[in-house]
């Protein structure tokens, strides 16, 4: 049968769609990512289809034969495929146990399981490729090989380090990480050590060491694993492929179990994962793949969009559905995203999807230039503080950067501004030790019920949870400072908030009901929201979204990154920025710094990807094309001279130098101390302790963490310099005009040896 190409009628970007039914126009948010906290399960198969737009409904009802869903960012792809599975199950067309849905991260698999549970499709397997393969390998290993499956290695990097030592090759920390990545790439592309050099050259990879050395390390790594009887994550896929290829009886058993396959993020499939999928399928075609070639950002791991782009060639009778209605972002954000891709080159660009926003108009993207990176971080923190003061939730704001090394400057700036934050990429919520302990405590309290004296004065569910978690370290107010203590408190606070939402959604719910909900959420990795601005790399932000996004460091050398040399690598950097832009629902801020450190040479320029898109720039010489909307100057541009309010905070900075040895300072913590960490301190210990006591009192009175008043390093810098006037105090990094106005008189009085009446500081 011919391919069915389903797409909405063209309309100007931002013009609202005209639905045939009111139920599928989702208003200001997409149902792909927003739903009621505890929704009711649809009462029939037809009810599962309610609320889907025409293209999503086409996906949900295409239950036979190969199906390819080309889904742009924010178009509800997860909604479409989970409703497809749920509709098939509820209509009796699909047996839950015969469906295997695979994706690439535990978070995405958990979200899929959670949505399927909400839709009444219990029993469907939704897993990562590795998780699904590991289950099969564990089950069939005794039959195929005999004995027990070798232990899965905990730390691959340590094995690589041991292999390097055996080869007498010295690797620093960065090289160790890079060589490990090369070994992973080799395995997912099914490249053996002897072929590494040729394969890397053909793929255009820039090897971190001599290719012959990497091949030697790769071979030694494999030998070491055999000696220690361990396997790594790539072996899980390789061994599963080997078993299914060599044992036809086992392959038939797997195929008898799974009749229908759904693959999310298909643009990220590696050759090894594609081979495993083909072995699962056999000669059948009950396969639905979902992806967007414009979001291919993991080619360094072996991912390639070719399998997605070649799908119709391999499956000539495939149904192809394009999702281009963007429910996530405003027309202004969508316009910028479309403009980025309009200038793209290459095969993925030839298949780009032009998004059509379904939301009401919002503010234009803001482009801001700063003199240096610390100023850029302070500017972002100041704007975030203003948003929080205006009522925006911290959890709905994100700061996204190209490399993890950029995080520290923003952590410090947010702490100075009194803004709570969380780092994306930490361990999963339900795996955190404090969450596991809290779950045990809640389960015990639920078991003892009325016999637990801890609950005597707790009449309702939220108060019961607060009472139980108070024994685990939760307090009504967050602890002073940041780091591990603050992170533990945030985890427990998230459970308290979840209990409040659960009780509001289900009046009369008991502690036992909440424990059951937590167990289900843990199984689905459906974590509650932790309040705090998200700091994340662009790669780790994939699949997430926020109301407000700050894209920082959008300068040449960082975006695209310096080591992106080939056209293909440059285009992947463009796609990475596209992913960052499309994380924003309503407000988008893009910024760059002219130099790295204060007083540095201002020799940086904004990213070439913004040419023609930011005001005052010319369109880049690119592909253009009828489908693109780039090359139009839109948005609000704020040059460095007007990037913030007038006054000392935005003064032109001089080079930051250590006041002891004179060395130029670039580290944010050292710049705050105004000296190298290793240089001797002449701090007045007594003054430092008096400042800490005063800070604790201020924090208690204002109901905020102590670091929001001043960080420890700022207090140390004050105790070392002992300023005697406002000008001297204002020169200390971390003080700033707002804190100078509020706390300056108190601090100067303490420095002068005078007593300060508690609470005397200006409000």
């Amino acid at each position: 049968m011919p391919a069915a190409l389903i797409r909405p009628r063209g309309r100007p970007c931002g013009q609202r769609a005209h639905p045939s039914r009111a139920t599928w126009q989702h208003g200001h948010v997409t149902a792909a990512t927003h739903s009621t906290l505890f929704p009711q399960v649809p009462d029939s198969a037809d009810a599962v289809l309610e609320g889907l737009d025409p293209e999503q409904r086409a996906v949900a009802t295409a239950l036979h034969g190969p199906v390819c869903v080309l889904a742009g960012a924010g178009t509800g792809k997860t909604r479409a495929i989970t409703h497809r599975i749920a509709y098939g199950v509820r209509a009796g067309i699909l047996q839950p146990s015969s469906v295997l849905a695979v994706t690439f991260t535990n978070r995405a698999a958990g979200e899929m399981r959670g949505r399927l549970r909400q839709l009444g499709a219990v029993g469907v397997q939704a897993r990562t490729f590795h998780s699904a393969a590991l289950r099969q390998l564990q089950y069939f290993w005794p039959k195929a090989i005999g004995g027990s499956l070798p232990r899965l290695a905990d730390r691959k990097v340590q094995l690589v380090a041991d292999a390097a030592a055996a080869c007498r090759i010295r690797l620093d920390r960065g090289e160790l990480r890079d060589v490990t990545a090369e070994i992973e790439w080799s395995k997912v592309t099914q490249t053996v050590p002897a072929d590494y050099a040729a394969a890397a050259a053909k793929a255009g990879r820039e090897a971190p060491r001599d290719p012959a050395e990497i091949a030697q390390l790769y071979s030694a790594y494999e030998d070491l694993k055999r000696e220690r009887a361990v396997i790594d994550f790539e072996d899980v896929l390789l061994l599963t492929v080997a078993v299914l290829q060599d044992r036809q009886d086992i392959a038939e058993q797997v195929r008898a179990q799974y009749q229908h396959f759904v693959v999310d993020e298909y643009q990220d499939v590696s050759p090894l994962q594609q081979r495993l999928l083909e072995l699962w399928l056999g000669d059948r075609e009950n396969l639905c793949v979902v992806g967007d070639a414009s979001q291919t950002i993991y080619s360094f791991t072996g991912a390639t969009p070719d399998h997605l782009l070649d799908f119709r060639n391999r499956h000539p009778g495939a149904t192809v559905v394009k999702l281009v209605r963007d429910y996530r972002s405003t027309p202004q954000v969508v316009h910028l995203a479309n403009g980025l891709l309009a200038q793209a080159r290459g095969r993925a660009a030839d298949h780009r999807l032009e998004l059509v926003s379904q939301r009401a108009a919002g503010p234009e993207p803001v482009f801001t230039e700063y003199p240096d990176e610390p100023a850029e971080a302070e500017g972002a923190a100041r704007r975030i503080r203003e948003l929080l003061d205006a009522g925006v939730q911290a959890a709905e704001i994100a700061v996204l950067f190209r490399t993890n090394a950029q995080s520290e400057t923003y952590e410090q700036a947010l702490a100075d501004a009194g803004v709570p934050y969380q780092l994306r990429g930490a361990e999963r919520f339900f795996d955190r030790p404090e969450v596991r302990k809290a779950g045990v405590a809640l389960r015990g309290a639920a078991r003892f019920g009325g016999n637990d004296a801890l609950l005597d004065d707790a009449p309702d569910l939220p108060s019961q949870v607060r009472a139980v978690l108070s024994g685990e370290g939760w307090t009504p107010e967050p602890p002073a400072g940041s780091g591990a203590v603050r992170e533990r408190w945030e985890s427990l606070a998230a459970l308290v908030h979840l209990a409040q939402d659960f009780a509001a959604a289900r009046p009369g719910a008991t502690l036992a009901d909440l424990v059951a909900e937590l167990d289900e959420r843990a199984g689905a990795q459906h974590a509650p929201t932790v309040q705090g601005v998200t700091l994340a790399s662009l790669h780790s932000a994939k699949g997430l979204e926020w109301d407000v996004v700050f894209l920082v460091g959008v300068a040449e050398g960082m975006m695209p990154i310096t080591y992106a040399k080939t056209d293909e690598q440059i285009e992947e950097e463009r796609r990475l920025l596209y992913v960052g832009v499309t994380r924003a629902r309503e407000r988008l801020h893009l910024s760059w710094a002219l130099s790295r450190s204060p007083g540095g040479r201002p020799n940086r320029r904004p990213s070439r990807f913004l040419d023609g898109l930011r005001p005052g720039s010319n369109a880049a010489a690119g592909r253009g094309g009828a489908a693109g909307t780039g090359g139009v100057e839109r948005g609000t541009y704020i040059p460095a001279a007007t990037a913030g309010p007038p006054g000392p905070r935005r003064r032109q900075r001089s080079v930051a130098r250590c006041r002891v040895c004179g060395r130029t300072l670039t580290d944010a913590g050292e710049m705050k101390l105004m000296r190298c960490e290793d240089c001797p301190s002449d701090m007045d210990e007594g003054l430092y302790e008096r400042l800490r006591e005063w800070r604790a009192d201020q924090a208690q009175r204002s109901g905020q963490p102590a670091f929001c008043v001043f960080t420890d390093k700022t207090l140390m810098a004050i105790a070392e310099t002992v300023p005697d006037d406002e000008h001297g105090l204002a020169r200390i990094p971390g003080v700033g005009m707002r804190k100078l106005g509020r706390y300056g008189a108190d601090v100067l009085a303490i420095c002068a040896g005078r007593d300060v009446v508690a609470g005397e500081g200006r409000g």
Side-chain angles (χ1 to χ4, degrees):
M1 97 184 239
L5 179 62
I6 305 172
R7 62 181 304 169
R9 295 175 183 173
R11 62 178 64 84
C13 179
Q15 181 176 322
R16 284 190 174 275
H18 298 285
S20 56
R21 304 183 54 180
T23 53
W24 65 266
Q25 183 63 37
H26 305 306
H28 75 290
V29 292
T30 165
T33 49
H34 281 251
S35 58
T36 3
L37 189 60
F38 303 101
Q40 296 297 313
V41 174
D43 58 9
S44 66
D46 288 340
V48 171
L49 300 178
E50 292 179 2
L52 300 181
D53 69 26
E55 293 76 48
Q56 292 170 347
R57 181 180 286 254
V59 174
T61 54
L63 296 173
H64 300 288
V67 178
C68 179
V69 183
L70 301 176
T75 57
K77 69 176 180 65
T78 307
R79 176 180 175 83
I81 59 175
T82 52
H83 281 67
R84 177 183 186 271
I85 296 170
Y87 176 70
V89 169
R90 301 294 296 278
I93 300 171
L94 304 178
Q95 290 298 316
S97 60
S98 73
V99 180
L100 177 59
V102 288
T103 187
F104 287 83
T105 67
N106 288 311
R107 187 201 62 78
E111 181 183 1
M112 197 178 294
R113 288 194 295 271
R115 294 197 190 192
L116 290 170
R117 174 168 66 96
Q118 293 169 358
L119 293 169
V122 180
V124 173
Q125 293 292 309
R127 298 186 171 277
T128 64
F129 270 99
H130 286 90
S131 174
L134 182 59
R135 281 172 62 91
Q136 293 174 21
L137 199 59
Q138 288 170 330
Y139 183 81
F140 290 112
W141 186 269
K143 178 179 179 180
I145 309 298
S148 300
L149 181 69
R151 178 177 59 84
L152 197 59
D154 295 328
R155 296 190 63 223
K156 184 182 300 177
V157 169
Q158 186 58 55
L159 277 170
V160 176
D162 293 345
C167 295
R168 299 183 182 278
I169 296 176
R170 184 184 297 274
L171 300 176
D172 62 30
R173 183 178 300 179
E175 289 175 322
L176 189 59
R177 182 188 63 243
D178 292 342
V179 168
T180 301
E182 288 303 292
I183 291 174
E184 290 174 348
W185 173 82
S186 299
K187 299 185 76 166
V188 300
T189 55
Q190 302 177 79
T191 302
V192 297
D195 297 337
Y196 167 77
K202 183 178 179 181
R205 293 182 74 83
E206 191 169 323
R209 301 278 297 213
D210 181 88
E213 277 191 332
I214 293 179
Q216 181 186 2
L217 288 167
Y218 180 11
S219 180
Y221 169 80
E222 293 297 317
D223 291 341
L224 200 59
K225 285 198 292 106
R226 280 190 290 272
E227 290 174 15
R228 298 181 182 181
V230 297
I231 59 175
D232 60 26
F233 272 104
E234 288 68 46
D235 290 331
V236 170
L237 300 184
L238 284 164
L239 291 170
T240 305
V241 165
V243 168
L244 295 178
Q245 284 181 159
D246 295 344
R247 292 291 299 266
Q248 186 67 22
D249 56 331
I250 292 177
E252 291 301 328
Q253 193 172 341
V254 171
R255 292 166 191 159
Q257 170 70 49
Y258 295 117
Q259 306 288 328
H260 302 271
F261 297 87
V262 177
V263 185
D264 191 16
E265 304 287 4
Y266 193 55
Q267 78 277 351
D268 291 332
V269 165
S270 70
L272 180 56
Q273 289 164 331
Q274 175 64 21
R275 180 58 185 145
L276 178 59
L277 179 62
E278 291 167 354
L279 288 167
W280 282 340
L281 271 170
D283 57 3
R284 301 165 301 173
E285 290 201 314
N286 284 328
L287 170 65
C288 174
V289 300
V290 189
D292 178 10
S294 296
Q295 296 188 68
T296 305
I297 59 173
Y298 297 108
S299 66
F300 60 91
T301 67
T304 170
D306 290 346
H307 303 299
L308 174 67
L309 299 177
D310 292 337
F311 190 82
R312 292 179 70 183
N313 295 333
R314 296 195 312 276
H315 304 277
T319 297
V320 178
V321 184
K322 292 186 178 182
L323 303 183
V324 296
R325 303 178 197 263
D326 187 319
Y327 297 99
R328 174 188 298 160
S329 304
T330 62
Q332 288 74 14
V333 173
V334 166
H335 178 82
L336 180 59
N338 285 336
L340 278 172
L341 292 189
Q343 300 174 4
R345 303 169 181 267
R347 192 177 181 211
D350 291 338
H351 293 80
R352 71 191 188 279
L353 299 169
E354 184 169 3
L355 302 176
V356 183
S357 176
Q358 306 296 295
R359 297 194 52 172
E364 295 286 352
V366 176
F367 300 85
T368 311
E369 184 175 89
Y370 292 94
D372 52 69
E373 289 183 3
E376 184 180 9
E378 290 172 11
R382 183 173 59 253
R383 290 187 175 182
I384 291 171
R385 181 73 265 173
E386 292 168 356
L387 289 168
L388 297 181
D389 293 342
V392 178
Q393 295 294 311
E396 295 300 341
I397 303 174
V399 178
L400 306 182
F401 32 75
R402 176 61 179 85
T403 67
N404 288 317
Q406 295 168 268
S407 173
E408 183 179 358
T409 303
Y410 289 88
E411 292 178 54
Q412 188 66 57
L414 291 174
D416 286 346
V419 175
Y421 64 86
Q422 58 172 327
L423 292 173
R424 182 76 195 169
E427 63 186 325
R428 294 184 294 177
F429 181 82
F430 288 104
D431 290 341
R432 298 176 186 175
E434 65 272 17
V435 174
R436 296 169 71 92
K437 284 185 63 180
V440 171
L442 289 170
R443 189 171 289 105
R447 187 180 303 116
F448 288 107
N451 296 322
D452 192 333
L454 193 64
L455 306 181
D456 286 348
D457 298 323
D460 56 20
L461 178 59
S463 60
Q464 290 171 4
V465 171
R466 288 193 293 269
V468 173
L469 296 187
S470 63
E472 300 301 319
W474 177 82
T475 56
E477 296 296 328
S482 57
V485 173
R486 176 73 182 212
E487 289 177 6
R488 285 194 294 272
W489 184 88
E490 293 285 2
S491 297
L492 298 177
L495 293 175
V496 170
H497 289 304
L498 178 66
Q500 294 168 346
D501 292 335
F502 187 72
R506 299 188 184 179
T510 66
L511 196 54
D513 294 330
L514 177 65
V515 168
E517 174 68 21
L518 289 175
D519 287 342
E520 290 190 10
R521 281 172 168 259
Q525 285 300 325
H526 182 194
T529 300
V530 177
Q531 287 300 317
V533 172
T534 300
L535 293 176
S537 70
L538 286 165
H539 281 100
S540 64
K542 178 76 168 65
L544 304 173
E545 59 186 74
W546 297 269
D547 286 345
V548 187
V549 168
F550 288 79
L551 283 173
V552 299
V554 190
E556 286 292 307
M558 192 61 73
M559 180 59 67
I561 199 77
T562 306
Y563 53 74
K565 304 293 186 184
T566 67
D567 289 345
E568 195 170 319
Q569 291 168 339
I570 295 293
E571 287 308 314
E572 180 149 340
E573 292 288 298
R574 186 193 305 276
R575 294 194 296 269
L576 189 57
L577 182 58
Y578 171 79
V579 166
V581 167
T582 55
R583 300 310 95 194
R585 298 190 195 109
E586 298 172 5
R587 296 177 182 272
L588 179 63
H589 297 257
L590 301 96
S591 63
W592 57 92
L594 296 178
S595 67
R596 178 182 177 187
S597 56
R601 187 175 180 181
N603 57 0
R604 291 181 176 177
R605 64 173 296 267
S607 169
R608 72 191 73 172
F609 300 145
L610 300 182
D611 289 347
L613 300 175
R614 61 181 178 86
S617 65
N618 297 320
R623 54 174 287 109
T629 56
V632 180
E633 296 190 2
R634 292 170 64 101
T636 306
Y637 174 64
I638 304 179
T642 57
R649 189 169 184 85
R650 289 271 57 86
R651 67 186 180 276
Q652 182 65 38
R653 297 162 179 257
S654 60
V655 177
R657 297 188 184 279
C658 174
R659 54 191 171 80
V660 179
C661 70
R663 183 179 68 85
T664 300
L665 302 176
T666 57
D667 177 77
E670 291 183 341
M671 288 194 299
K672 191 172 287 291
L673 286 174
M674 297 187 292
R675 65 171 172 81
C676 305
E677 288 278 5
D678 297 335
C679 283
S681 168
D682 54 356
M683 183 175 69
D684 183 331
E685 296 285 353
L687 174 57
Y688 178 65
E689 288 305 318
R690 290 196 299 276
L691 287 169
R692 283 175 56 88
E693 291 173 4
W694 165 83
R695 182 183 66 173
D697 180 70
Q698 288 291 333
Q700 183 178 7
R701 289 177 176 276
S702 61
Q704 60 182 338
F707 72 86
C708 293
V709 181
F710 286 118
T711 64
D712 285 344
K713 286 193 174 179
T714 298
L715 292 187
M716 289 174 66
I718 294 171
E720 289 181 353
T721 57
V722 195
D724 55 10
D725 58 24
E726 286 196 353
H727 180 70
L729 181 59
R731 292 180 61 187
I732 296 175
V735 175
M737 295 307 296
R738 182 175 66 85
K739 292 185 180 181
L740 181 66
R742 185 169 188 179
Y743 304 123
D746 280 6
V747 172
L748 290 172
I750 295 170
C751 288
R754 298 195 300 272
D755 292 331
V756 174
V757 178
E760 202 175 67
R762 296 173 227 172

